[in-house]
Amino acid sequence: MVNEAGRSGSPVVVALDYRSSTEALAMASRLDPQQCRVKVGKELFTAEGPLVIDKLQTLGFDVFLDMKYHDIPNTVASAVKVAADMGVWMVNVHAAGGRRMMTACVERLAHYNQRPLLIAVTVLTSMEREDLAEVGLDVDPLVQVQRLAKLTAESGFDGVVCSAHEVVPLRATMPTGFALVTPGIRPISADLGDQRRVMTPKQALQAGSDYLVIGRPITQATDPSAALEAILAELA
Ligand code: C5P
């Protein structure tokens, strides 16, 4: 069974982009696990390891472990199994690792009663057409996104990370229930930071996104809990 329901019904996943568990836990303790989930990325996990996941779970949070694994099938399947054993709610890989890498993950977790949502990154939103051409992919980014999303679904994964602007074309082509996880979300009033092609939370959900990854508009707010509540109110 896929760990879909989780502990929170909220679509908001707060990115805890910190160097230390002290900072990450201080932020988490200001948030309500009924109102959001949290994302642990490479920086925090590299600095602090599994203990920070355990502590966030003890506070009641569903954890998205954003490691974007990309390696040979056995190595990635083994890493995903460790993540599943830690009880994370969602974990991701790079779809560019291919069908055998993704099916190895699904097969390795086949006997779990509750497994994490398995999500793939298609094309990094930082990559433009010229960047793809430089790595030998002379293709429009959206064509590559669609190709890798199809491969992801065929491999038995549960969804993809995508830009909010890719949600509409992916919703039109992907199977019902295929999860779309979107960063680059900015409430109407927010500072854009280094994000460029952004959408508001409401626009992203209306377009068909399932989970909104939101970092700085919440974590850098004077009152993070109020910022989260304002976003949820905008969605209601
Ligand atoms: O602070 P902000 O809302 O921009 O944080 C977004 C989070 O989503 C960060 O953790 C960032 O690494 C992640 N992310 C992203 N764009 C992607 C994939 C992930 O911003 N394409």
Side-chain angles (χ1 to χ4, degrees):
M1 196 174 91
V2 176
N3 196 5
E4 210 153 0
R7 294 175 235 208
S8 161
S10 171
V12 176
V13 183
V14 178
L16 297 176
D17 292 322
Y18 294 106
R19 170 69 202 265
S20 75
S21 62
T22 310
E23 292 167 288
L25 294 168
M27 177 51 59
S29 67
R30 299 177 73 178
L31 301 170
D32 179 352
Q34 300 298 321
Q35 293 191 323
C36 66
R37 297 167 161 109
V38 292
K39 179 172 90 69
V40 172
K42 287 188 170 107
E43 182 187 17
L44 181 58
F45 194 77
T46 302
E48 299 286 5
L51 200 56
V52 69
I53 307 284
D54 192 44
K55 288 182 175 165
L56 289 165
Q57 289 169 335
T58 302
L59 287 175
F61 289 97
D62 288 332
V63 177
F64 169 17
L65 183 59
D66 180 17
M67 297 301 285
K68 301 186 181 71
Y69 296 120
H70 187 175
D71 210 315
I72 58 171
N74 184 56
T75 300
V76 172
S78 300
V80 161
K81 180 180 185 308
V82 175
D85 291 340
M86 290 182 335
V88 305
W89 159 72
M90 176 183 282
V91 63
N92 60 0
V93 307
H94 269 285
R99 185 188 298 270
R100 281 192 295 116
M101 189 195 80
M102 289 190 278
T103 53
C105 296
V106 174
E107 283 164 13
R108 194 71 63 94
L109 301 190
H111 67 283
Y112 279 61
N113 285 332
Q114 268 220 332
R115 69 156 172 82
L117 283 164
L118 292 172
I119 302 294
V121 175
T122 55
V123 177
L124 291 170
T125 49
S126 53
M127 296 197 78
E128 296 178 350
R129 190 176 180 124
E130 308 81 76
D131 302 300
L132 291 183
E134 270 190 340
V135 296
L137 291 166
D138 199 3
V139 61
D140 181 67
L142 185 57
V143 171
Q144 184 68 359
V145 166
Q146 291 275 22
R147 178 187 289 163
L148 289 177
K150 182 166 173 281
L151 182 66
T152 299
E154 286 172 5
S155 305
F157 263 47
D158 303 300
V160 290
V161 179
C162 63
S163 125
H165 295 272
E166 293 157 0
V167 167
V168 168
L170 286 172
R171 264 290 155 252
T173 50
M174 300 310 295
T176 313
F178 192 71
L180 302 180
V181 180
T182 48
I185 301 294
R186 288 293 177 269
I188 298 163
S189 56
D191 177 5
L192 293 190
D194 54 7
Q195 297 280 11
R196 286 293 168 265
R197 301 179 66 222
V198 298
M199 272 197 189
T200 69
K202 191 163 191 155
Q203 284 170 333
L205 281 196
Q206 281 174 345
S209 176
D210 297 289
Y211 300 107
L212 312 174
V213 175
I214 309 179
R216 290 160 290 179
I218 293 173
T219 58
Q220 292 186 4
T222 320
D223 184 343
S225 168
L228 172 59
E229 273 169 28
I231 289 168
L232 292 173
E234 189 186 321
L235 297 177

